[in-house]
Amino acid sequence: MSRASDRAYSAIRNMILSGELPAGAQLGEEALAELCGVSRTPVREALRRLEADMLVDRTDTQRTFVADWSISDVADAFELRAMLEARAARRAAERMTDATLARIKAANRALLDAIQQPLPDVAGFLESNREFHGIILEVAGSRRLSALLGTLVEQPVVLRTARHYTREELRRSHAEHEELTAAFARRDGAWAEAIMTSHILRAYHAYADAHRARLDAGLTQEAAE
Amino acid sequence: MSRASDRAYSAIRNMILSGELPAGAQLGEEALAELCGVSRTPVREALRRLEADMLVDRTDTQRTFVADWSISDVADAFELRAMLEARAARRAAERMTDATLARIKAANRALLDAIQQPLPDVAGFLESNREFHGIILEVAGSRRLSALLGTLVEQPVVLRTARHYTREELRRSHAEHEELTAAFARRDGAWAEAIMTSHILRAYHAYADAHRARLDAGLTQEAAE
DNA sequence: CCGATGGCATTTGTATACAATATTCATGTC
DNA sequence: GACATGAATATTGTATACAAATGCCATCGG
């Protein structure tokens, strides 16, 4: 990650995910180059990668903007993610080894630790959650599946919403992970697939509810951050 | 498609899909630049896009090679494609309009025409087939689904195998398209999804059988072309 | 006042030069 | 003879200059 184009990619990506670069903002290559302390060449490369990630949009005349995720875009992404992660879970269950099962259990223990802090450690939760899902994807053993899911997991608004998860919601995630672990222990692909589908779709509705609540409170998305 | 980087992308992509650049061949930026008549800059951009398409691989030290699709890679791609196109078919059935249905029927009529030539017009078949699947994807109305499928449809070896389809296999494709059209006419998403799954998986097995036959004949993949 | 037109400013695209890194091959040492 | 070492070579990464295109704004004509 020391190449200039990688630094530019991470920097711009983080600014988009954090909301520092708001949806709809124009991304001029020169301006970004200055921000990242590199020349336009690596910035251009970074922008193309972000375009493939669908984090930025380009107009017909080659101007680049921060992608504006409508609520239906988010729903679309979650629906596809549910299908793909469920497939990954099924494959993982069918190929599960005891060693991998131990890693999965460890990840979910770490996740529980993060939740049980006096103040829930959301960053730690997200990290363990990423680890948990990452192991499953690894065991599923499909490069393509991993690649496809790559563009679906990180969504700007959703990530920011995660910070507001209640302890109850975090606990629910942990419980679902435990159930997934049980399905893996039994090598039951159909069960794992079903739990994963419901796990992702529940997360989607948690987000959608929070989103609606903010709208009802008469706040704009910006103000709610 | 007049920008130099687009031309480079198409040129290199075609050389890979046609087999002119064989699997495993190293892709030097300078050499490709000369081949395409452009400088290294657009070639680099093209290579990044091809990497995202998984048509080329890069080593840990940034060297680029034509991706080598093992039979299990092909199986993996088909499995995912079946899942995603089936989902698209379901969504399309649920959103079908009479106007779109007419376009789908027209595409399949064109496909039948291509088949019924004295010598089956495989290029025409492939074109109509692309059109047929393209309309479904369009009606499915999910940018992400389209994007994900984009990297799965064109597979180097498979495309070359298509040339050897028998008239019987082509007819079978047409019949399955007809059945899909019936499901669309009824707006029956579950039916459309099931037919599409079986349509893609049958195509996969047709390829796998042909592949095996070539191996049994003691031919290398190259020699069989 | 509205819309079209032309030219200036800005932005993106491409080529090229140079820097950094990887590979190769010859050389020397054990 | 095998392996490590290190220059020579080849390849990729980045910066920059310039070309092409796009957008903006002022001016002009209706």
Side-chain angles (χ1 to χ4, degrees), chain A residues 3 45 48 54 57 62 69 76 79 87 91 142-144 151-152, chain B residues 3 45 48 54 57 62 69 76 79 87 91 142-144 152:
Chain A
R3 274 173 23 270
E45 201 175 308
R48 298 298 156 82
M54 300 189 81
D57 281 335
Q62 311 300 107
W69 290 56
D76 191 26
E79 189 189 333
R87 172 68 57 119
R91 288 179 60 114
S142 165
R143 269 175 70 218
R144 294 198 115 70
T151 70
L152 292 172
Chain B
R3 279 181 9 274
E45 200 175 306
R48 296 300 154 81
M54 299 189 81
D57 281 335
Q62 311 300 107
W69 289 55
D76 191 27
E79 189 189 334
R87 172 67 57 117
R91 289 179 59 115
S142 165
R143 269 175 71 217
R144 294 198 114 73
L152 292 173

PDB file of all heavy atoms in Angstrom, chain A residues 3 45 48 54 57 62 69 76 79 87 91 142-144 151-152, chain B residues 3 45 48 54 57 62 69 76 79 87 91 142-144 152:
ATOM      1  N   ARG A   3       2.482   2.379  -2.797  1.00  0.00           N
ATOM      2  CA  ARG A   3       2.506   3.068  -4.073  1.00  0.00           C
ATOM      3  C   ARG A   3       1.586   4.273  -4.026  1.00  0.00           C
ATOM      4  O   ARG A   3       0.575   4.278  -3.328  1.00  0.00           O
ATOM      5  CB  ARG A   3       2.107   2.118  -5.203  1.00  0.00           C
ATOM      6  CG  ARG A   3       3.316   1.371  -5.668  1.00  0.00           C
ATOM      7  CD  ARG A   3       3.185   0.258  -6.653  1.00  0.00           C
ATOM      8  NE  ARG A   3       2.047   0.179  -7.539  1.00  0.00           N
ATOM      9  CZ  ARG A   3       0.939  -0.471  -7.216  1.00  0.00           C
ATOM     10  NH1 ARG A   3       0.801  -1.001  -6.017  1.00  0.00           N
ATOM     11  NH2 ARG A   3      -0.024  -0.561  -8.076  1.00  0.00           N
ATOM     12  N   GLU A  45      -5.713   6.844 -11.760  1.00  0.00           N
ATOM     13  CA  GLU A  45      -5.838   5.406 -11.549  1.00  0.00           C
ATOM     14  C   GLU A  45      -6.786   5.121 -10.377  1.00  0.00           C
ATOM     15  O   GLU A  45      -7.648   4.242 -10.465  1.00  0.00           O
ATOM     16  CB  GLU A  45      -4.445   4.819 -11.265  1.00  0.00           C
ATOM     17  CG  GLU A  45      -4.379   3.337 -11.522  1.00  0.00           C
ATOM     18  CD  GLU A  45      -2.964   2.808 -11.354  1.00  0.00           C
ATOM     19  OE1 GLU A  45      -2.046   3.372 -11.973  1.00  0.00           O
ATOM     20  OE2 GLU A  45      -2.795   1.843 -10.592  1.00  0.00           O
ATOM     21  N   ARG A  48     -10.406   5.543 -11.366  1.00  0.00           N
ATOM     22  CA  ARG A  48     -10.950   4.451 -12.163  1.00  0.00           C
ATOM     23  C   ARG A  48     -11.332   3.272 -11.265  1.00  0.00           C
ATOM     24  O   ARG A  48     -12.343   2.616 -11.464  1.00  0.00           O
ATOM     25  CB  ARG A  48      -9.938   3.987 -13.228  1.00  0.00           C
ATOM     26  CG  ARG A  48      -9.602   5.074 -14.217  1.00  0.00           C
ATOM     27  CD  ARG A  48     -10.857   5.491 -14.975  1.00  0.00           C
ATOM     28  NE  ARG A  48     -10.754   6.846 -15.518  1.00  0.00           N
ATOM     29  CZ  ARG A  48     -10.157   7.184 -16.630  1.00  0.00           C
ATOM     30  NH1 ARG A  48      -9.535   6.273 -17.324  1.00  0.00           N
ATOM     31  NH2 ARG A  48     -10.147   8.424 -17.066  1.00  0.00           N
ATOM     32  N   MET A  54     -18.096   1.635  -7.886  1.00  0.00           N
ATOM     33  CA  MET A  54     -19.334   2.414  -7.910  1.00  0.00           C
ATOM     34  C   MET A  54     -19.408   3.427  -6.781  1.00  0.00           C
ATOM     35  O   MET A  54     -20.502   3.802  -6.357  1.00  0.00           O
ATOM     36  CB  MET A  54     -20.556   1.489  -7.911  1.00  0.00           C
ATOM     37  CG  MET A  54     -20.568   0.559  -9.125  1.00  0.00           C
ATOM     38  SD  MET A  54     -22.093  -0.377  -9.311  1.00  0.00           S
ATOM     39  CE  MET A  54     -23.164   0.840 -10.093  1.00  0.00           C
ATOM     40  N   ASP A  57     -19.235   8.350  -9.811  1.00  0.00           N
ATOM     41  CA  ASP A  57     -19.907   8.266 -11.105  1.00  0.00           C
ATOM     42  C   ASP A  57     -19.190   9.175 -12.082  1.00  0.00           C
ATOM     43  O   ASP A  57     -18.618  10.188 -11.678  1.00  0.00           O
ATOM     44  CB  ASP A  57     -21.370   8.734 -10.983  1.00  0.00           C
ATOM     45  CG  ASP A  57     -22.266   7.669 -10.392  1.00  0.00           C
ATOM     46  OD1 ASP A  57     -21.918   6.480 -10.522  1.00  0.00           O
ATOM     47  OD2 ASP A  57     -23.290   8.033  -9.794  1.00  0.00           O
ATOM     48  N   GLN A  62     -17.019  12.707 -19.085  1.00  0.00           N
ATOM     49  CA  GLN A  62     -15.816  12.324 -18.349  1.00  0.00           C
ATOM     50  C   GLN A  62     -15.556  13.116 -17.065  1.00  0.00           C
ATOM     51  O   GLN A  62     -14.442  13.145 -16.595  1.00  0.00           O
ATOM     52  CB  GLN A  62     -14.578  12.434 -19.236  1.00  0.00           C
ATOM     53  CG  GLN A  62     -14.723  11.776 -20.584  1.00  0.00           C
ATOM     54  CD  GLN A  62     -15.010  10.300 -20.501  1.00  0.00           C
ATOM     55  OE1 GLN A  62     -16.112   9.865 -20.768  1.00  0.00           O
ATOM     56  NE2 GLN A  62     -14.043   9.535 -20.079  1.00  0.00           N
ATOM     57  N   TRP A  69     -25.953   7.721  -3.534  1.00  0.00           N
ATOM     58  CA  TRP A  69     -26.675   6.465  -3.318  1.00  0.00           C
ATOM     59  C   TRP A  69     -28.099   6.744  -2.855  1.00  0.00           C
ATOM     60  O   TRP A  69     -28.317   7.142  -1.712  1.00  0.00           O
ATOM     61  CB  TRP A  69     -25.966   5.636  -2.256  1.00  0.00           C
ATOM     62  CG  TRP A  69     -24.652   5.080  -2.707  1.00  0.00           C
ATOM     63  CD1 TRP A  69     -23.593   5.774  -3.199  1.00  0.00           C
ATOM     64  CD2 TRP A  69     -24.272   3.701  -2.696  1.00  0.00           C
ATOM     65  NE1 TRP A  69     -22.579   4.909  -3.491  1.00  0.00           N
ATOM     66  CE2 TRP A  69     -22.961   3.643  -3.194  1.00  0.00           C
ATOM     67  CE3 TRP A  69     -24.919   2.530  -2.316  1.00  0.00           C
ATOM     68  CZ2 TRP A  69     -22.282   2.439  -3.317  1.00  0.00           C
ATOM     69  CZ3 TRP A  69     -24.235   1.343  -2.432  1.00  0.00           C
ATOM     70  CH2 TRP A  69     -22.933   1.290  -2.933  1.00  0.00           C
ATOM     71  N   ASP A  76     -30.798  -2.250  -3.391  1.00  0.00           N
ATOM     72  CA  ASP A  76     -30.272  -3.085  -4.466  1.00  0.00           C
ATOM     73  C   ASP A  76     -28.974  -3.757  -4.038  1.00  0.00           C
ATOM     74  O   ASP A  76     -28.797  -4.977  -4.193  1.00  0.00           O
ATOM     75  CB  ASP A  76     -30.033  -2.172  -5.680  1.00  0.00           C
ATOM     76  CG  ASP A  76     -29.749  -2.948  -6.946  1.00  0.00           C
ATOM     77  OD1 ASP A  76     -30.185  -4.101  -7.038  1.00  0.00           O
ATOM     78  OD2 ASP A  76     -29.075  -2.387  -7.833  1.00  0.00           O
ATOM     79  N   GLU A  79     -29.591  -6.419  -1.414  1.00  0.00           N
ATOM     80  CA  GLU A  79     -30.243  -7.618  -1.955  1.00  0.00           C
ATOM     81  C   GLU A  79     -29.214  -8.521  -2.627  1.00  0.00           C
ATOM     82  O   GLU A  79     -29.174  -9.739  -2.394  1.00  0.00           O
ATOM     83  CB  GLU A  79     -31.320  -7.192  -2.971  1.00  0.00           C
ATOM     84  CG  GLU A  79     -32.194  -8.349  -3.424  1.00  0.00           C
ATOM     85  CD  GLU A  79     -33.098  -7.954  -4.597  1.00  0.00           C
ATOM     86  OE1 GLU A  79     -33.429  -6.748  -4.725  1.00  0.00           O
ATOM     87  OE2 GLU A  79     -33.464  -8.848  -5.374  1.00  0.00           O
ATOM     88  N   ARG A  87     -24.575 -17.490  -0.678  1.00  0.00           N
ATOM     89  CA  ARG A  87     -23.921 -18.521  -1.484  1.00  0.00           C
ATOM     90  C   ARG A  87     -22.548 -18.848  -0.909  1.00  0.00           C
ATOM     91  O   ARG A  87     -22.161 -20.024  -0.798  1.00  0.00           O
ATOM     92  CB  ARG A  87     -23.788 -18.012  -2.927  1.00  0.00           C
ATOM     93  CG  ARG A  87     -22.949 -18.889  -3.834  1.00  0.00           C
ATOM     94  CD  ARG A  87     -23.616 -20.216  -4.092  1.00  0.00           C
ATOM     95  NE  ARG A  87     -24.940 -20.060  -4.664  1.00  0.00           N
ATOM     96  CZ  ARG A  87     -25.300 -20.517  -5.855  1.00  0.00           C
ATOM     97  NH1 ARG A  87     -24.416 -21.182  -6.591  1.00  0.00           N
ATOM     98  NH2 ARG A  87     -26.526 -20.340  -6.309  1.00  0.00           N
ATOM     99  N   ARG A  91     -21.215 -22.547   0.459  1.00  0.00           N
ATOM    100  CA  ARG A  91     -19.966 -23.180   0.030  1.00  0.00           C
ATOM    101  C   ARG A  91     -19.022 -23.372   1.209  1.00  0.00           C
ATOM    102  O   ARG A  91     -18.345 -24.402   1.326  1.00  0.00           O
ATOM    103  CB  ARG A  91     -19.272 -22.320  -1.039  1.00  0.00           C
ATOM    104  CG  ARG A  91     -19.974 -22.356  -2.391  1.00  0.00           C
ATOM    105  CD  ARG A  91     -19.242 -21.449  -3.382  1.00  0.00           C
ATOM    106  NE  ARG A  91     -17.863 -21.856  -3.585  1.00  0.00           N
ATOM    107  CZ  ARG A  91     -17.374 -22.317  -4.733  1.00  0.00           C
ATOM    108  NH1 ARG A  91     -18.164 -22.409  -5.781  1.00  0.00           N
ATOM    109  NH2 ARG A  91     -16.110 -22.669  -4.839  1.00  0.00           N
ATOM    110  N   SER A 142     -13.908 -19.065  -3.767  1.00  0.00           N
ATOM    111  CA  SER A 142     -14.218 -18.594  -5.115  1.00  0.00           C
ATOM    112  C   SER A 142     -13.687 -17.177  -5.271  1.00  0.00           C
ATOM    113  O   SER A 142     -14.216 -16.229  -4.690  1.00  0.00           O
ATOM    114  CB  SER A 142     -15.719 -18.617  -5.357  1.00  0.00           C
ATOM    115  OG  SER A 142     -16.046 -17.851  -6.495  1.00  0.00           O
ATOM    116  N   ARG A 143     -12.626 -17.056  -6.067  1.00  0.00           N
ATOM    117  CA  ARG A 143     -12.042 -15.726  -6.279  1.00  0.00           C
ATOM    118  C   ARG A 143     -13.085 -14.762  -6.804  1.00  0.00           C
ATOM    119  O   ARG A 143     -13.134 -13.600  -6.406  1.00  0.00           O
ATOM    120  CB  ARG A 143     -10.906 -15.808  -7.306  1.00  0.00           C
ATOM    121  CG  ARG A 143      -9.537 -16.039  -6.718  1.00  0.00           C
ATOM    122  CD  ARG A 143      -8.529 -16.221  -7.842  1.00  0.00           C
ATOM    123  NE  ARG A 143      -8.276 -15.007  -8.587  1.00  0.00           N
ATOM    124  CZ  ARG A 143      -8.082 -14.949  -9.912  1.00  0.00           C
ATOM    125  NH1 ARG A 143      -8.131 -16.044 -10.628  1.00  0.00           N
ATOM    126  NH2 ARG A 143      -7.833 -13.799 -10.503  1.00  0.00           N
ATOM    127  N   ARG A 144     -13.919 -15.260  -7.724  1.00  0.00           N
ATOM    128  CA  ARG A 144     -14.916 -14.383  -8.340  1.00  0.00           C
ATOM    129  C   ARG A 144     -15.944 -13.901  -7.329  1.00  0.00           C
ATOM    130  O   ARG A 144     -16.328 -12.745  -7.315  1.00  0.00           O
ATOM    131  CB  ARG A 144     -15.628 -15.122  -9.452  1.00  0.00           C
ATOM    132  CG  ARG A 144     -14.753 -15.461 -10.586  1.00  0.00           C
ATOM    133  CD  ARG A 144     -15.598 -15.794 -11.809  1.00  0.00           C
ATOM    134  NE  ARG A 144     -15.377 -14.821 -12.849  1.00  0.00           N
ATOM    135  CZ  ARG A 144     -14.256 -14.727 -13.536  1.00  0.00           C
ATOM    136  NH1 ARG A 144     -13.253 -15.519 -13.261  1.00  0.00           N
ATOM    137  NH2 ARG A 144     -14.118 -13.818 -14.473  1.00  0.00           N
ATOM    138  N   THR A 151     -17.254  -5.087  -4.096  1.00  0.00           N
ATOM    139  CA  THR A 151     -17.839  -3.785  -4.409  1.00  0.00           C
ATOM    140  C   THR A 151     -19.159  -3.560  -3.680  1.00  0.00           C
ATOM    141  O   THR A 151     -19.767  -2.519  -3.823  1.00  0.00           O
ATOM    142  CB  THR A 151     -18.099  -3.640  -5.923  1.00  0.00           C
ATOM    143  OG1 THR A 151     -19.172  -4.512  -6.284  1.00  0.00           O
ATOM    144  CG2 THR A 151     -16.862  -4.012  -6.714  1.00  0.00           C
ATOM    145  N   LEU A 152     -19.601  -4.542  -2.917  1.00  0.00           N
ATOM    146  CA  LEU A 152     -20.934  -4.423  -2.310  1.00  0.00           C
ATOM    147  C   LEU A 152     -20.918  -4.167  -0.810  1.00  0.00           C
ATOM    148  O   LEU A 152     -21.926  -3.737  -0.248  1.00  0.00           O
ATOM    149  CB  LEU A 152     -21.744  -5.709  -2.572  1.00  0.00           C
ATOM    150  CG  LEU A 152     -22.146  -5.966  -4.016  1.00  0.00           C
ATOM    151  CD1 LEU A 152     -22.764  -7.341  -4.154  1.00  0.00           C
ATOM    152  CD2 LEU A 152     -23.115  -4.903  -4.496  1.00  0.00           C
TER     153      LEU A 152
ATOM    154  N   ARG B   3     -11.555   7.127 -27.751  1.00  0.00           N
ATOM    155  CA  ARG B   3     -10.397   7.463 -26.940  1.00  0.00           C
ATOM    156  C   ARG B   3      -9.357   6.348 -27.044  1.00  0.00           C
ATOM    157  O   ARG B   3      -9.703   5.178 -27.202  1.00  0.00           O
ATOM    158  CB  ARG B   3     -10.803   7.707 -25.488  1.00  0.00           C
ATOM    159  CG  ARG B   3     -11.348   9.085 -25.333  1.00  0.00           C
ATOM    160  CD  ARG B   3     -11.805   9.584 -23.996  1.00  0.00           C
ATOM    161  NE  ARG B   3     -11.551   8.830 -22.811  1.00  0.00           N
ATOM    162  CZ  ARG B   3     -12.348   7.862 -22.371  1.00  0.00           C
ATOM    163  NH1 ARG B   3     -13.374   7.478 -23.104  1.00  0.00           N
ATOM    164  NH2 ARG B   3     -12.095   7.285 -21.244  1.00  0.00           N
ATOM    165  N   GLU B  45      -4.121   1.939 -18.475  1.00  0.00           N
ATOM    166  CA  GLU B  45      -5.521   2.052 -18.077  1.00  0.00           C
ATOM    167  C   GLU B  45      -6.293   0.824 -18.564  1.00  0.00           C
ATOM    168  O   GLU B  45      -7.095   0.251 -17.819  1.00  0.00           O
ATOM    169  CB  GLU B  45      -6.101   3.333 -18.669  1.00  0.00           C
ATOM    170  CG  GLU B  45      -7.338   3.791 -17.946  1.00  0.00           C
ATOM    171  CD  GLU B  45      -7.822   5.127 -18.473  1.00  0.00           C
ATOM    172  OE1 GLU B  45      -7.015   6.080 -18.506  1.00  0.00           O
ATOM    173  OE2 GLU B  45      -9.003   5.196 -18.847  1.00  0.00           O
ATOM    174  N   ARG B  48      -5.643  -2.209 -16.405  1.00  0.00           N
ATOM    175  CA  ARG B  48      -6.352  -2.184 -15.114  1.00  0.00           C
ATOM    176  C   ARG B  48      -7.799  -2.624 -15.284  1.00  0.00           C
ATOM    177  O   ARG B  48      -8.353  -3.337 -14.457  1.00  0.00           O
ATOM    178  CB  ARG B  48      -6.294  -0.781 -14.496  1.00  0.00           C
ATOM    179  CG  ARG B  48      -4.884  -0.342 -14.156  1.00  0.00           C
ATOM    180  CD  ARG B  48      -4.242  -1.276 -13.156  1.00  0.00           C
ATOM    181  NE  ARG B  48      -2.786  -1.289 -13.235  1.00  0.00           N
ATOM    182  CZ  ARG B  48      -1.984  -0.396 -12.689  1.00  0.00           C
ATOM    183  NH1 ARG B  48      -2.488   0.607 -12.042  1.00  0.00           N
ATOM    184  NH2 ARG B  48      -0.678  -0.494 -12.796  1.00  0.00           N
ATOM    185  N   MET B  54     -10.958  -9.651 -14.726  1.00  0.00           N
ATOM    186  CA  MET B  54     -10.285 -10.929 -14.459  1.00  0.00           C
ATOM    187  C   MET B  54      -9.839 -11.616 -15.748  1.00  0.00           C
ATOM    188  O   MET B  54      -9.712 -12.837 -15.788  1.00  0.00           O
ATOM    189  CB  MET B  54     -11.175 -11.858 -13.630  1.00  0.00           C
ATOM    190  CG  MET B  54     -11.519 -11.249 -12.285  1.00  0.00           C
ATOM    191  SD  MET B  54     -12.336 -12.381 -11.148  1.00  0.00           S
ATOM    192  CE  MET B  54     -10.946 -13.296 -10.500  1.00  0.00           C
ATOM    193  N   ASP B  57      -4.111 -11.383 -15.076  1.00  0.00           N
ATOM    194  CA  ASP B  57      -3.674 -11.510 -13.678  1.00  0.00           C
ATOM    195  C   ASP B  57      -2.410 -10.695 -13.494  1.00  0.00           C
ATOM    196  O   ASP B  57      -1.640 -10.519 -14.431  1.00  0.00           O
ATOM    197  CB  ASP B  57      -3.349 -12.977 -13.359  1.00  0.00           C
ATOM    198  CG  ASP B  57      -4.600 -13.788 -13.102  1.00  0.00           C
ATOM    199  OD1 ASP B  57      -5.620 -13.180 -12.706  1.00  0.00           O
ATOM    200  OD2 ASP B  57      -4.564 -15.004 -13.300  1.00  0.00           O
ATOM    201  N   GLN B  62       3.709  -6.903  -9.825  1.00  0.00           N
ATOM    202  CA  GLN B  62       3.091  -6.001 -10.791  1.00  0.00           C
ATOM    203  C   GLN B  62       3.292  -6.388 -12.248  1.00  0.00           C
ATOM    204  O   GLN B  62       3.136  -5.538 -13.118  1.00  0.00           O
ATOM    205  CB  GLN B  62       3.606  -4.566 -10.589  1.00  0.00           C
ATOM    206  CG  GLN B  62       3.555  -4.089  -9.172  1.00  0.00           C
ATOM    207  CD  GLN B  62       2.168  -4.095  -8.591  1.00  0.00           C
ATOM    208  OE1 GLN B  62       1.844  -4.926  -7.772  1.00  0.00           O
ATOM    209  NE2 GLN B  62       1.337  -3.189  -9.051  1.00  0.00           N
ATOM    210  N   TRP B  69      -7.544 -19.622 -17.314  1.00  0.00           N
ATOM    211  CA  TRP B  69      -8.804 -20.104 -16.728  1.00  0.00           C
ATOM    212  C   TRP B  69      -8.773 -21.613 -16.628  1.00  0.00           C
ATOM    213  O   TRP B  69      -8.899 -22.314 -17.636  1.00  0.00           O
ATOM    214  CB  TRP B  69      -9.968 -19.678 -17.610  1.00  0.00           C
ATOM    215  CG  TRP B  69     -10.237 -18.223 -17.569  1.00  0.00           C
ATOM    216  CD1 TRP B  69      -9.359 -17.213 -17.820  1.00  0.00           C
ATOM    217  CD2 TRP B  69     -11.474 -17.593 -17.247  1.00  0.00           C
ATOM    218  NE1 TRP B  69      -9.977 -16.000 -17.677  1.00  0.00           N
ATOM    219  CE2 TRP B  69     -11.265 -16.205 -17.341  1.00  0.00           C
ATOM    220  CE3 TRP B  69     -12.735 -18.082 -16.904  1.00  0.00           C
ATOM    221  CZ2 TRP B  69     -12.285 -15.301 -17.084  1.00  0.00           C
ATOM    222  CZ3 TRP B  69     -13.743 -17.173 -16.658  1.00  0.00           C
ATOM    223  CH2 TRP B  69     -13.517 -15.803 -16.746  1.00  0.00           C
ATOM    224  N   ASP B  76     -16.801 -22.057 -11.768  1.00  0.00           N
ATOM    225  CA  ASP B  76     -17.084 -21.023 -10.788  1.00  0.00           C
ATOM    226  C   ASP B  76     -17.830 -19.860 -11.441  1.00  0.00           C
ATOM    227  O   ASP B  76     -18.869 -19.404 -10.940  1.00  0.00           O
ATOM    228  CB  ASP B  76     -15.736 -20.555 -10.216  1.00  0.00           C
ATOM    229  CG  ASP B  76     -15.905 -19.673  -9.010  1.00  0.00           C
ATOM    230  OD1 ASP B  76     -16.929 -19.800  -8.312  1.00  0.00           O
ATOM    231  OD2 ASP B  76     -15.006 -18.846  -8.772  1.00  0.00           O
ATOM    232  N   GLU B  79     -21.369 -20.861 -12.399  1.00  0.00           N
ATOM    233  CA  GLU B  79     -22.242 -21.006 -11.238  1.00  0.00           C
ATOM    234  C   GLU B  79     -22.761 -19.641 -10.780  1.00  0.00           C
ATOM    235  O   GLU B  79     -23.958 -19.450 -10.541  1.00  0.00           O
ATOM    236  CB  GLU B  79     -21.480 -21.693 -10.097  1.00  0.00           C
ATOM    237  CG  GLU B  79     -22.357 -22.075  -8.930  1.00  0.00           C
ATOM    238  CD  GLU B  79     -21.532 -22.549  -7.726  1.00  0.00           C
ATOM    239  OE1 GLU B  79     -20.401 -23.044  -7.933  1.00  0.00           O
ATOM    240  OE2 GLU B  79     -22.013 -22.411  -6.588  1.00  0.00           O
ATOM    241  N   ARG B  87     -31.548 -14.320 -11.090  1.00  0.00           N
ATOM    242  CA  ARG B  87     -32.122 -13.217 -10.317  1.00  0.00           C
ATOM    243  C   ARG B  87     -32.624 -12.126 -11.251  1.00  0.00           C
ATOM    244  O   ARG B  87     -33.712 -11.567 -11.060  1.00  0.00           O
ATOM    245  CB  ARG B  87     -31.053 -12.669  -9.357  1.00  0.00           C
ATOM    246  CG  ARG B  87     -31.447 -11.411  -8.627  1.00  0.00           C
ATOM    247  CD  ARG B  87     -32.583 -11.653  -7.659  1.00  0.00           C
ATOM    248  NE  ARG B  87     -32.264 -12.687  -6.681  1.00  0.00           N
ATOM    249  CZ  ARG B  87     -32.176 -12.485  -5.369  1.00  0.00           C
ATOM    250  NH1 ARG B  87     -32.390 -11.280  -4.882  1.00  0.00           N
ATOM    251  NH2 ARG B  87     -31.893 -13.478  -4.562  1.00  0.00           N
ATOM    252  N   ARG B  91     -36.481 -10.645 -11.601  1.00  0.00           N
ATOM    253  CA  ARG B  91     -36.827  -9.229 -11.533  1.00  0.00           C
ATOM    254  C   ARG B  91     -37.467  -8.769 -12.831  1.00  0.00           C
ATOM    255  O   ARG B  91     -38.428  -7.987 -12.829  1.00  0.00           O
ATOM    256  CB  ARG B  91     -35.582  -8.390 -11.235  1.00  0.00           C
ATOM    257  CG  ARG B  91     -35.061  -8.535  -9.817  1.00  0.00           C
ATOM    258  CD  ARG B  91     -33.805  -7.689  -9.620  1.00  0.00           C
ATOM    259  NE  ARG B  91     -34.037  -6.290  -9.870  1.00  0.00           N
ATOM    260  CZ  ARG B  91     -33.956  -5.336  -8.942  1.00  0.00           C
ATOM    261  NH1 ARG B  91     -33.635  -5.659  -7.703  1.00  0.00           N
ATOM    262  NH2 ARG B  91     -34.173  -4.084  -9.254  1.00  0.00           N
ATOM    263  N   SER B 142     -31.287  -3.167 -12.396  1.00  0.00           N
ATOM    264  CA  SER B 142     -30.313  -3.046 -11.320  1.00  0.00           C
ATOM    265  C   SER B 142     -28.928  -2.801 -11.912  1.00  0.00           C
ATOM    266  O   SER B 142     -28.338  -3.677 -12.526  1.00  0.00           O
ATOM    267  CB  SER B 142     -30.293  -4.317 -10.474  1.00  0.00           C
ATOM    268  OG  SER B 142     -29.125  -4.341  -9.660  1.00  0.00           O
ATOM    269  N   ARG B 143     -28.465  -1.579 -11.752  1.00  0.00           N
ATOM    270  CA  ARG B 143     -27.144  -1.228 -12.293  1.00  0.00           C
ATOM    271  C   ARG B 143     -26.087  -2.182 -11.771  1.00  0.00           C
ATOM    272  O   ARG B 143     -25.187  -2.605 -12.478  1.00  0.00           O
ATOM    273  CB  ARG B 143     -26.755   0.194 -11.881  1.00  0.00           C
ATOM    274  CG  ARG B 143     -27.162   1.279 -12.855  1.00  0.00           C
ATOM    275  CD  ARG B 143     -26.826   2.629 -12.261  1.00  0.00           C
ATOM    276  NE  ARG B 143     -25.402   2.897 -12.204  1.00  0.00           N
ATOM    277  CZ  ARG B 143     -24.794   3.550 -11.211  1.00  0.00           C
ATOM    278  NH1 ARG B 143     -25.492   3.985 -10.187  1.00  0.00           N
ATOM    279  NH2 ARG B 143     -23.501   3.766 -11.246  1.00  0.00           N
ATOM    280  N   ARG B 144     -26.199  -2.504 -10.474  1.00  0.00           N
ATOM    281  CA  ARG B 144     -25.182  -3.359  -9.858  1.00  0.00           C
ATOM    282  C   ARG B 144     -25.193  -4.761 -10.438  1.00  0.00           C
ATOM    283  O   ARG B 144     -24.161  -5.347 -10.701  1.00  0.00           O
ATOM    284  CB  ARG B 144     -25.429  -3.450  -8.354  1.00  0.00           C
ATOM    285  CG  ARG B 144     -25.251  -2.175  -7.643  1.00  0.00           C
ATOM    286  CD  ARG B 144     -25.072  -2.415  -6.152  1.00  0.00           C
ATOM    287  NE  ARG B 144     -23.745  -2.035  -5.756  1.00  0.00           N
ATOM    288  CZ  ARG B 144     -23.351  -0.786  -5.665  1.00  0.00           C
ATOM    289  NH1 ARG B 144     -24.165   0.185  -6.000  1.00  0.00           N
ATOM    290  NH2 ARG B 144     -22.128  -0.493  -5.277  1.00  0.00           N
ATOM    291  N   LEU B 152     -18.687 -11.619 -16.005  1.00  0.00           N
ATOM    292  CA  LEU B 152     -18.874 -13.071 -15.992  1.00  0.00           C
ATOM    293  C   LEU B 152     -19.265 -13.657 -17.346  1.00  0.00           C
ATOM    294  O   LEU B 152     -19.146 -14.861 -17.560  1.00  0.00           O
ATOM    295  CB  LEU B 152     -19.963 -13.449 -14.979  1.00  0.00           C
ATOM    296  CG  LEU B 152     -19.609 -13.234 -13.505  1.00  0.00           C
ATOM    297  CD1 LEU B 152     -20.824 -13.481 -12.636  1.00  0.00           C
ATOM    298  CD2 LEU B 152     -18.474 -14.152 -13.100  1.00  0.00           C
TER     299      LEU B 152
END
